[in-house]
Amino acid sequence: MESKKRIVVIGGSAAGPKAASKARRIDEFAEVTIIQKDPELSMASCGYPYYVGGFFDNRNQLLSTPTGVVRDQKFYLSAKGIKAMVSTEATSINTNEKIVKTKNLITGETADVPYDKLILATGATPNMPPIEGVDLDGITTLQSMKDADYLRNIRDEKKIRKAVIIGGGLIGIETAEALHLAGIDITVIELLPQLLTFLDYGMAKLVENYVRSKTNVITGNGVAKFIGENGKLTAVKLQNGTEIPCELAVIAIGVRPNVKLAKEAGLKIGQLGGIEVDEYMQTSNSDIYAVGDCVELTNLVFNQKVLAPYGDLANLEGRVAGENAVLGNSVKFKGTIQTGICKVFDYNVGSTGLSEDRAKKLGIKVETVINASPDKPGFMDGKLLVSKLIVDDDTCQILGAQCLGPGDVSKQIAIWAMAIQAKMCVEDMINADLPYAPPFSLAIDHSIATAHIMQNKRKKRFEGICAHDLKQLIDNKEDVFLLDLRGYDEFEQMRLGMGETLIPLGQLRTRLNELPENKNKLIVTFCKISLRGYEGALVLKANGYTNVKVLEGGLAAWYYEREK
Ligand SMILES: Cc1cc2nc3c(=O)[nH]c(=O)nc-3n(C[C@H](O)[C@H](O)[C@H](O)COP(=O)(O)OP(=O)(O)OC[C@H]3O[C@@H](n4cnc5c(N)ncnc54)[C@H](O)[C@@H]3O)c2cc1C
């Protein structure tokens, strides 16, 4: 009789339990063991900000199945036949004898766990800035259940009044919202010139303007020092010398893969610091797989290695490694296009594929457009979306998309993510058959309208200008005629205030005499979202104006200050 296969998994949060469960489902008789350093198993870390923010109160919901059963040791043993060793650290791997050495962190007991196939799912550790005062009380990260409990307690106690969030990435912003909801005065501090670096600068600035309506935001400035009294944090000092009083600091400046065990076991580590794996999630040792935040993946758009610490990928990779560990290499995980989404107060922000900024760095020539329009009809409470589409300049293949606003960003990003993975071109999206009814979308969905705008641009039906380029022209006092095509009421409510002329679109054909006599002078047309801007530009072109550009996304995508 064949002996039972011993599958051992190190790490028991996202990728590890998924790998273990898949192995069990494929081989009912395998001996499957999870070694987990933390006391809990299967923590929904992506839910921590919402627990801290009070979206729900029962912490067990972070650890439960969809039917409400807590995924603890008992659950894993009885429901899945998986032995889970919690509060137990894997301290080393002997690859010759195929043994994992473990230490129980409560009793101090050590044990050897033999394996036939080993899966590493050791996750990542938050980066900490190597600066004075970082060990003071009141400084934390939000990476573990312990951190989530600590911050939730702060929320419930209501004693802290001022906090800083260091790092304006996804976790930093989600934490800022959570603590803002707790009534705490928040300052987000970001070293780079923009928040959410997965977005292009202009898109990130639109988010930043919105975040500023809720919290203080400082960009382009880092923390130089933590200041404390009696061991407790009292302020942070920024690199420009400013001191910000605070009683709490949450550090969210990214994570790095946990590779100590892998390194010591002689596994190959990639240039970005993650464990090297192939498409089977197999490491340089054929008996060891690795999954989740501890590995490097291939970016499928530009074919380079990346670190992609996302919960969905960790689960998908886990399934693949679990199956391959049992059956031999049979299923593949080819890579990532780095799709992500986050909630930013009442905004949603997502991106997939290549950004324009990254394309520039990689030397890939791209064309972009911005579309600002609602996700649904006004009578169904449609909400604004601002999307940016990035396509290959030669082939028009869809390479990337970004979307933000109070509307349904998730659907947009999901559509573009599939289009990128299917290597679709703009042409393929023009008449795409998506579901439509007023509660869900416009008759032409925002994504398809975005593709239409790109097609119009490619067919040279309009020439676009982005907010940044227009602002430069204005700042350089270039000779540009700004033409606002909205109505008088709209102009009263909101306007650039940069010397623009207002001619409502309906009056344009009869008021052409108010435009510059020189028909070669640059005219930039716009409205709130630039649909009227586009139509006005067509009227002008038909009447012999040769140098007309449309402000892409209109005022909705203008991230600089306006008069109103
Ligand atoms: C606050 C927050 C919000 C997030 N939001 C999102 C989101 O909205 N969307 C998204 O896609 N992703 C999100 N993520 C990222 C996502 O949670 C991670 O990508 C995912 O948890 C990675 O899973 P993992 O199993 O690789 O690692 P982890 O979840 O980090 O688990 C690794 C486990 O291994 C254990 N371990 C490490 N070393 C050892 C050892 N030597 N012995 C035993 N055990 C060990 C650790 O204690 C840990 O429990 C978020 C993360 C955080 C922290």
Side-chain angles (χ1 to χ4, degrees):
M1 202 177 108
E2 223 183 289
S3 64
K4 290 180 178 178
K5 197 167 242 164
R6 293 164 305 182
I7 309 287
V8 174
V9 177
I10 302 179
S13 183
K18 184 56 80 183
S21 301
K22 187 68 183 175
R24 157 63 64 244
R25 285 174 196 146
I26 295 203
D27 183 349
E28 172 61 18
F29 302 105
E31 267 179 25
V32 184
T33 307
I34 297 174
I35 302 166
Q36 162 68 325
K37 198 159 72 175
D38 291 329
E40 297 91 359
L41 289 156
S42 289
M43 304 87 85
S45 21
C46 312
Y48 293 162
Y50 306 100
Y51 175 56
V52 173
F55 286 76
F56 58 97
D57 296 322
N58 179 355
R59 89 192 270 283
N60 274 348
Q61 286 183 272
L62 290 166
L63 307 169
S64 301
T65 65
T67 53
V69 182
V70 175
R71 296 187 186 99
D72 54 13
Q73 271 177 301
K74 212 170 117 203
F75 165 81
Y76 271 102
L77 196 58
S78 59
K80 295 183 183 276
I82 293 173
K83 179 180 174 192
M85 303 162 70
V86 295
S87 301
T88 302
E89 182 173 2
T91 50
S92 66
I93 304 164
N94 181 332
T95 52
N96 293 327
E97 291 174 34
K98 293 172 73 172
I99 283 171
V100 179
K101 289 201 172 296
T102 69
K103 180 177 178 186
N104 185 305
L105 298 176
I106 295 167
T107 63
E109 255 173 80
T110 58
D112 287 355
V113 182
Y115 65 86
D116 294 311
K117 296 288 174 190
L118 178 64
I119 301 173
L120 299 180
T122 46
T125 301
N127 294 322
M128 296 298 273
I131 54 178
E132 196 182 325
V134 73
D135 296 327
L136 288 167
D137 263 6
I139 300 176
T140 184
T141 57
L142 179 52
Q143 177 73 15
S144 62
M145 273 307 270
K146 205 169 146 208
D147 297 337
D149 288 336
Y150 173 75
L151 289 175
R152 173 67 197 225
N153 194 38
I154 282 176
R155 174 192 187 275
D156 293 343
E157 281 187 353
K158 298 193 189 325
K159 284 187 193 153
I160 283 188
R161 285 167 299 117
K162 280 180 180 292
V164 298
I165 309 290
I166 299 159
L170 190 143
I171 293 177
I173 297 295
E174 287 179 353
T175 310
E177 177 183 359
L179 295 175
H180 169 83
L181 290 172
I184 298 173
D185 179 29
I186 305 291
T187 302
V188 178
I189 301 163
E190 169 57 59
L191 182 65
L192 297 173
Q194 69 172 78
L195 305 177
L196 301 174
T197 49
F198 54 83
L199 295 175
D200 283 320
Y201 182 82
M203 296 291 275
K205 284 289 159 184
L206 290 174
V207 180
E208 184 181 318
N209 289 345
Y210 171 67
V211 175
R212 281 183 194 281
S213 68
K214 309 281 182 181
T215 73
N216 311 304
V217 178
I218 295 170
T219 52
N221 204 343
V223 174
K225 184 179 168 185
F226 293 100
I227 300 168
E229 268 173 37
N230 304 323
K232 278 191 174 168
L233 179 73
T234 54
V236 294
K237 186 169 184 176
L238 302 185
Q239 285 167 356
N240 68 354
T242 310
E243 274 188 27
I244 304 175
C246 60
E247 303 136 275
L248 172 70
V250 183
I251 296 174
I253 56 170
V255 294
R256 60 178 190 284
N258 283 331
V259 296
K260 186 169 172 278
L261 268 184
K263 216 175 191 173
E264 288 171 0
L267 304 185
K268 267 197 190 153
I269 305 299
Q271 288 192 343
L272 303 173
I275 302 171
E276 261 189 34
V277 287
D278 62 14
E279 288 183 328
Y280 300 102
M281 304 310 297
Q282 195 169 39
T283 67
S284 52
N285 180 316
S286 61
D287 293 317
I288 306 180
Y289 294 81
V291 286
D293 287 4
C294 60
V295 304
E296 290 183 7
L297 296 175
T298 301
N299 183 297
L300 298 172
V301 181
F302 50 86
N303 202 27
Q304 286 184 10
K305 290 290 176 193
V306 289
L307 295 172
Y310 297 106
D312 57 332
L313 299 182
N315 277 280
L316 295 172
E317 295 158 32
R319 288 182 82 244
V320 168
E323 182 156 348
N324 289 337
V326 174
L327 295 180
N329 291 348
S330 46
V331 287
K332 291 182 178 178
F333 183 88
K334 292 195 174 162
T336 173
I337 59 166
Q338 293 182 284
T339 306
I341 189 161
C342 65
K343 177 177 169 334
V344 181
F345 299 90
D346 292 329
Y347 261 40
N348 307 301
V349 180
S351 85
T352 181
L354 195 64
S355 65
E356 186 183 9
D357 187 40
R358 194 151 202 180
K360 270 190 194 143
K361 285 182 187 140
L362 292 167
I364 301 172
K365 222 170 150 234
V366 294
E367 177 72 276
T368 68
V369 283
I370 291 178
N371 172 22
S373 59
D375 58 353
K376 288 182 284 189
F379 60 82
M380 293 307 291
D381 196 23
K383 295 195 170 73
L384 184 73
L385 293 172
V386 180
S387 285
K388 176 169 180 174
L389 181 63
I390 297 124
V391 303
D392 183 285
D393 194 42
D394 289 331
T395 62
C396 238
Q397 186 181 330
I398 297 158
L399 298 180
Q402 300 168 20
C403 185
L404 60 92
D408 186 355
V409 167
S410 174
K411 173 180 159 186
Q412 296 300 312
I413 293 299
I415 289 170
W416 293 120
M418 293 311 292
I420 293 167
Q421 286 169 98
K423 302 195 183 312
M424 285 167 65
C425 292
V426 170
E427 195 64 31
D428 303 314
M429 278 294 291
I430 295 301
N431 296 314
D433 189 357
L434 298 178
Y436 162 63
F440 305 103
S441 78
L442 296 172
I444 292 183
D445 185 73
H446 177 88
S447 58
I448 300 180
T450 307
H452 291 174
I453 297 171
M454 177 63 88
Q455 194 191 44
N456 286 334
K457 193 172 189 183
R458 300 288 294 182
K459 289 187 173 176
K460 308 255 180 274
R461 289 185 176 145
F462 80 93
E463 207 178 322
I465 183 164
C466 66
H468 171 265
D469 291 352
L470 179 57
K471 181 72 167 49
Q472 275 204 327
L473 291 179
I474 296 170
D475 288 349
N476 294 342
K477 305 209 180 326
E478 302 272 345
D479 195 12
V480 45
F481 186 87
L482 300 174
L483 181 57
D484 187 338
L485 291 154
R486 297 172 305 145
Y488 296 106
D489 292 355
E490 292 171 277
F491 190 72
E492 275 317 304
Q493 281 169 17
M494 170 167 82
R495 63 169 167 255
L496 279 185
M498 294 179 178
E500 65 268 37
T501 298
L502 177 77
I503 304 180
L505 179 63
Q507 301 172 14
L508 184 61
R509 289 178 179 86
T510 56
R511 291 176 60 185
L512 291 174
N513 58 329
E514 294 175 38
L515 300 182
E517 266 180 39
N518 174 4
K519 289 198 169 180
N520 299 324
K521 177 171 168 156
L522 174 61
I523 300 179
V524 175
T525 61
F526 62 93
C527 59
K528 185 175 171 196
I529 58 173
S530 275
L531 177 56
R532 285 169 288 178
Y534 168 52
E535 290 178 344
L538 293 177
V539 172
L540 297 189
K541 269 178 80 177
N543 282 279
Y545 293 87
T546 61
N547 195 6
V548 184
K549 292 187 180 174
V550 181
L551 175 61
E552 290 197 19
L555 294 178
W558 180 264
Y559 52 87
Y560 298 101
E561 264 187 76
R562 298 183 308 247
E563 184 186 324
K564 277 191 179 182

